Amino acid sequence: MVRGQAGPAATATVPVRVPRGPGFRRHGLRVVAFLGSVAVLAAAGAGWWLYKKLDENITTDASAAAELERYERERPSALVRDARNILLIGSDTRAGSGNARYGRDKGTQRSDTTILLHLAARGRGVTAVSVPRDLMVNIPSCRKSDGSRTAPQFAQFNFAYEFGGTACTVRTLEKLTGIRVDHHVVVDFRGFKDMVDAVGGVRVCVAEAIDDPDARVTLKPGARTLDGEQALGYVRARKSLGNGSDTDRMDRQQQFLGALVNKVQSNGVLLNPARLYPVLDAATRSVTTDPGLDSLKDLYDLSRALRSVPTEKVQFLTIPRRPYRNDPNRDELVQPRANSLFKRLRDDKPVVVVPGDGQTEATGEESAESSRRKRDASPSSTPTFTGTNAADGACR
C-alpha cells in the first residue's frame, strides 16, 4: 500500500494548514471587530427600540400648556432655583379603555385626587400636600373644551377640572397658594391600576373592614398586599367608611403612596430590569403631562431625583382645613395655618410634619396631646403640621 492511500475501510485524513502570517491576523481581527460591532449594534438597536416605545407612550397635554401661556403674566414666579412643584391629578373620568366599569360616563370629569408635590432644592426632601376636592375656592374664568369660557366663581376645588381641565386646576391652585406649578401629571383609573400591578402589588394596613360597592372593593382588616384593582378601590372608598367625608380617604391615599414609594425604591424593582421595564411601560402609558415632562428622559430625571431622597424625608400632609361654615359637607381653609404652609413651600423652607390625631386639619381644633407633640417636635419659630412620612410602617 502506498503511503497516503487508504484501504476501502479507512477514512482519509487531510491535514488543513492554517495560515499564521500577518495577513491572517489582520483578517481575523477584522472578523472579530465586525462580529463585535454587529452585537453592539443589535443591543443598541433593541435598547433604542425600547426607549422609543416608552417615549412614545407618553401623552403630551399641549392644550393646557397653551392656555397657561396665555396667563403667564398673572401666574406666580418661582422663588427658589432648583426647587420644583409638580401637580399630580387623579382624574375620575370614565372615558377611555378600562374606565367605564367605574360608572357611567356623563361627559364630565373632576379631579378625584389632587396632590401638590414639592421637591426641595438639592434633594433635601419631598413634601406631598393633598388638596381636598370639596375645598371651597375662587375659580377663575376658564376655557372649556368647546372654546367657550366659564365665569369666575366660588365653588369646590374639583369643579375646576370639570370646568377647564388641567389648566384651570393649575390656575386655581396657584391663586389659592401663590405657589408656582412647574409641571403637571394626570393619571386615570386604568393607569393607576397598571402601575400597582407592574410593581407586583403594594402592602398596606387595612384599619377596618371595607365593603364599598361604589368603589368596587371588599377588604378584611389587617396587613394586605393589594393588586391594582384592590388598590384603586382602597384609595377611592369613601361612603362606606367613617362619616363619608374625604378626611379618611386622603389619609388612606397618603398611606398608600408612602407604601408605593417604599416598594418602587426597593432593589427588587429598581435593580431588576425584568421588573423595571413593566413599571416604566405602565408609568409612561398611564400619564398625560405638560411638554416639560413628556419624554422618557424627563421622567427618568424626575424619578432619579425622587429616588435619591431617603424615605424618611418623603412626607405627606393635607392643606389645613375645616368644615365650611355655610355647608358642613364642604371645606374651608384654616388660617393662618394654611398661609403659613404655603409660604414655607414657596420659600422652599423645611416643612415639619408630625403624627397627630387629624383633628386640626379636619376641624381646625387640636387636642392638648397633639399640641404638645408639635411643640416638642421643633422650635416654636417653626410651624408644624399633622401628617406622616413614607418611612412609617403601615401596620403597627
Side-chain angles (χ1 to χ4, degrees), residues 364-383:
E365 302 175 353
E366 62 183 344
S367 65
E369 176 62 18
S370 177
S371 179
R372 183 193 63 77
R373 282 198 299 265
K374 291 182 177 184
R375 286 196 304 270
D376 293 344
S378 63
S380 57
S381 60
T382 303

Side-chain angles (χ1 to χ4, degrees), residues 326-353:
N326 295 327
D327 183 352
N329 295 315
R330 300 291 179 262
D331 292 323
E332 65 181 7
L333 296 178
V334 172
Q335 297 293 14
R337 289 179 55 76
N339 282 344
S340 175
L341 172 63
F342 302 154
K343 186 176 187 326
R344 296 197 72 82
L345 293 174
R346 284 196 303 270
D347 296 340
D348 194 36
K349 292 183 178 179
V351 174
V352 180
V353 172

Side-chain angles (χ1 to χ4, degrees), residues 193-201 269 275-276 278-280 282-283:
K193 291 193 304 177
D194 289 348
M195 274 292 298
V196 174
D197 286 334
V199 299
V269 174
R275 297 190 65 185
L276 181 59
V279 174
L280 292 175

Side-chain angles (χ1 to χ4, degrees), residues 255-330:
Q255 180 197 93
F256 184 86
L257 288 174
L260 180 60
V261 167
N262 274 319
K263 185 65 178 285
V264 173
Q265 285 192 339
S266 68
N267 291 346
V269 174
L270 294 177
L271 300 183
N272 185 339
R275 297 190 65 185
L276 181 59
Y277 176 78
V279 174
L280 292 175
D281 186 43
T284 52
R285 282 189 291 105
S286 301
V287 301
T288 298
T289 76
D290 64 276
L293 278 182
D294 67 347
S295 74
L296 186 60
K297 180 182 182 302
D298 293 327
L299 291 178
Y300 173 76
D301 289 342
L302 174 62
S303 66
R304 185 175 59 179
L306 292 171
R307 198 166 64 234
S308 65
V309 179
T311 52
E312 62 269 16
K313 296 293 185 181
V314 179
Q315 52 194 11
F316 302 89
L317 67 152
T318 299
I319 288 180
R321 90 284 184 212
R322 62 189 170 205
Y324 178 45
R325 68 198 68 168
N326 295 327
D327 183 352
N329 295 315
R330 300 291 179 262

Side-chain angles (χ1 to χ4, degrees), residues 51-283:
Y51 180 92
K52 289 290 291 181
K53 180 181 183 299
L54 293 173
D55 201 56
E56 291 170 357
N57 281 345
I58 304 167
T59 301
T60 305
D61 192 353
S63 60
E67 181 69 4
L68 290 172
E69 182 64 27
R70 293 188 183 97
Y71 292 92
E72 180 58 37
R73 290 186 178 180
E74 70 178 41
R75 298 181 64 195
S77 300
L79 301 181
V80 179
R81 182 183 177 87
D82 296 332
R84 285 182 288 177
N85 297 297
I86 301 171
L87 193 62
L88 307 179
I89 301 173
S91 170
D92 70 355
T93 179
R94 270 62 170 180
S97 174
N99 292 326
R101 63 183 303 185
Y102 301 104
R104 183 164 56 89
D105 183 10
K106 300 177 181 178
T108 62
Q109 57 181 359
R110 295 179 186 171
S111 50
D112 201 52
T113 300
T114 306
I115 296 175
L116 179 65
L117 194 67
H118 176 75
L119 280 65
R122 300 182 300 280
R124 289 183 290 104
V126 176
T127 302
V129 183
S130 294
V131 184
R133 54 182 286 167
D134 295 331
L135 183 68
M136 299 301 293
V137 297
N138 289 305
I139 301 177
S141 173
C142 293
R143 182 179 182 275
K144 298 169 65 176
S145 58
D146 62 4
S148 63
R149 304 198 69 85
T150 62
Q153 54 194 287
F154 187 66
Q156 63 190 72
F157 178 77
N158 69 336
F159 277 24
Y161 194 72
E162 178 183 356
F163 292 161
T166 305
C168 190
T169 302
V170 169
R171 292 177 58 218
T172 299
L173 184 74
E174 288 183 340
K175 286 181 177 295
L176 177 71
T177 65
I179 297 170
R180 171 81 177 205
V181 174
D182 302 299
H183 301 290
H184 64 264
V185 177
V186 181
V187 183
D188 64 13
F189 291 159
R190 179 185 59 82
F192 178 85
K193 291 193 304 177
D194 289 348
M195 274 292 298
V196 174
D197 286 334
V199 299
V202 175
R203 188 173 180 81
V204 299
C205 182
V206 180
E208 59 179 292
I210 301 176
D211 185 6
D212 194 317
D214 288 341
R216 303 177 65 92
V217 63
T218 300
L219 295 171
K220 295 180 179 180
R224 298 281 180 268
T225 298
L226 308 184
D227 62 21
E229 187 74 30
Q230 293 171 321
L232 180 61
Y234 178 75
V235 299
R236 291 185 64 230
R238 179 177 61 161
K239 297 178 181 178
S240 62
L241 297 174
N243 60 6
S245 72
D246 253 0
T247 301
D248 289 341
R249 180 162 74 165
M250 284 187 293
D251 288 343
R252 274 183 281 114
Q253 289 171 352
Q254 292 170 4
Q255 180 197 93
F256 184 86
L257 288 174
L260 180 60
V261 167
N262 274 319
K263 185 65 178 285
V264 173
Q265 285 192 339
S266 68
N267 291 346
V269 174
L270 294 177
L271 300 183
N272 185 339
R275 297 190 65 185
L276 181 59
Y277 176 78
V279 174
L280 292 175
D281 186 43

